Amino acid sequence: MASFIEQARRQQIIAAAIWVLAHEGYASASLARIARQAGISKSVISYHFANKNEMFKAVFDHVVNAAGAYMTPFLKQAGDPACQIAAYIRHHMAYMAEHRDELLAIGMIAINHTDADFQATLARSTAEEREILTSLIEAGQAAGQLRAFDASILAAVIAKAIESALDEWAWRLQLDLTAYADELIALFERGMRKDEP
């Protein structure tokens, strides 16, 4: 198990990688540039990560795990499945608003990093997100809240709608993510509920 100092150093490198990816782009995110941002030598990165692929995967895992930890309490507090779906959308947007660099960084990696192992990690993460939404929708259908439809299709649509908000926000800083969440929730509730709320 890594020592506290080793864990802290890894987090320092991850934070530097996030900053470079978010502010300078994927093409600039060399190990040398990330090391310079972190105020360390390139060899220190090589000590903690076998290669760039491993470092980028660590960045991705860090952001995904942090987002999950942020969202979980809100989902637990939301109550019924329909409210949990609304909470899923709302607090995804809230996490974006509070962690812009992190979301931009993993977006840069997802779009540009073609390593097969990383793409497999990305595919698993996407599938897990869809499974969470699908299970919430199916629970809402079983409870009589939501009408009958293919839950997996709507799960994919909701996930893509959230992803599109990040794409829009990346280019339009003034985008109101709270209002964006409100409109998405209203849209999906009207489309999914048996009776309009």
Side-chain angles (χ1 to χ4, degrees):
M1 178 177 291
S3 70
F4 173 79
I5 293 174
E6 288 175 329
Q7 290 175 355
R9 181 67 82 186
R10 284 175 64 91
Q11 290 304 308
Q12 179 189 11
I13 295 166
I14 288 169
I18 286 170
W19 193 94
V20 173
L21 284 161
H23 292 267
E24 298 181 2
Y26 179 84
S28 296
S30 65
L31 294 183
R33 176 66 189 92
I34 292 166
R36 192 162 68 252
Q37 180 63 30
I40 58 177
S41 68
K42 183 178 172 182
S43 63
V44 174
I45 296 181
S46 299
Y47 173 80
H48 290 279
F49 298 100
N51 49 45
K52 194 173 182 178
N53 293 332
E54 186 177 293
M55 184 188 63
F56 279 164
K57 183 178 182 300
V59 169
F60 183 83
D61 289 344
H62 168 79
V63 177
V64 169
N65 292 337
Y70 175 93
M71 300 258 314
T72 298
F74 295 109
L75 293 178
K76 288 181 177 178
Q77 295 165 12
D80 63 51
C83 289
Q84 286 182 306
I85 294 167
Y88 187 93
I89 295 170
R90 186 174 307 286
H91 294 292
H92 245 99
M93 299 295 180
Y95 185 82
M96 283 185 199
E98 295 174 19
H99 300 86
R100 178 179 175 80
D101 282 3
E102 289 89 337
L103 272 296
L104 290 177
I106 65 169
M108 287 286 178
I109 299 172
I111 292 169
N112 296 288
H113 197 53
T114 58
D115 174 71
D117 287 341
F118 174 77
Q119 288 298 318
T121 297
L122 178 62
R124 283 194 299 273
S125 179
T126 300
E128 288 169 3
E129 179 184 15
R130 303 284 177 87
E131 287 168 8
I132 291 169
L133 285 166
T134 299
S135 66
L136 290 175
I137 293 168
E138 289 174 343
Q141 291 171 325
Q145 288 183 304
L146 307 181
R147 64 180 178 81
F149 55 84
D150 187 323
S152 65
I153 291 175
L154 262 292
V157 172
I158 292 171
K160 283 296 181 183
I162 293 170
E163 184 180 321
S164 73
L166 178 60
D167 292 340
E168 180 74 8
W169 189 46
W171 301 106
R172 191 155 61 95
L173 293 179
Q174 70 273 26
L175 179 67
D176 185 339
L177 288 174
T178 300
Y180 203 109
D182 289 340
E183 293 299 335
L184 284 185
I185 291 165
L187 175 67
F188 286 120
E189 282 195 335
R190 289 191 178 95
M192 295 192 299
R193 281 189 182 270
K194 281 189 173 181
D195 301 305
E196 185 175 320

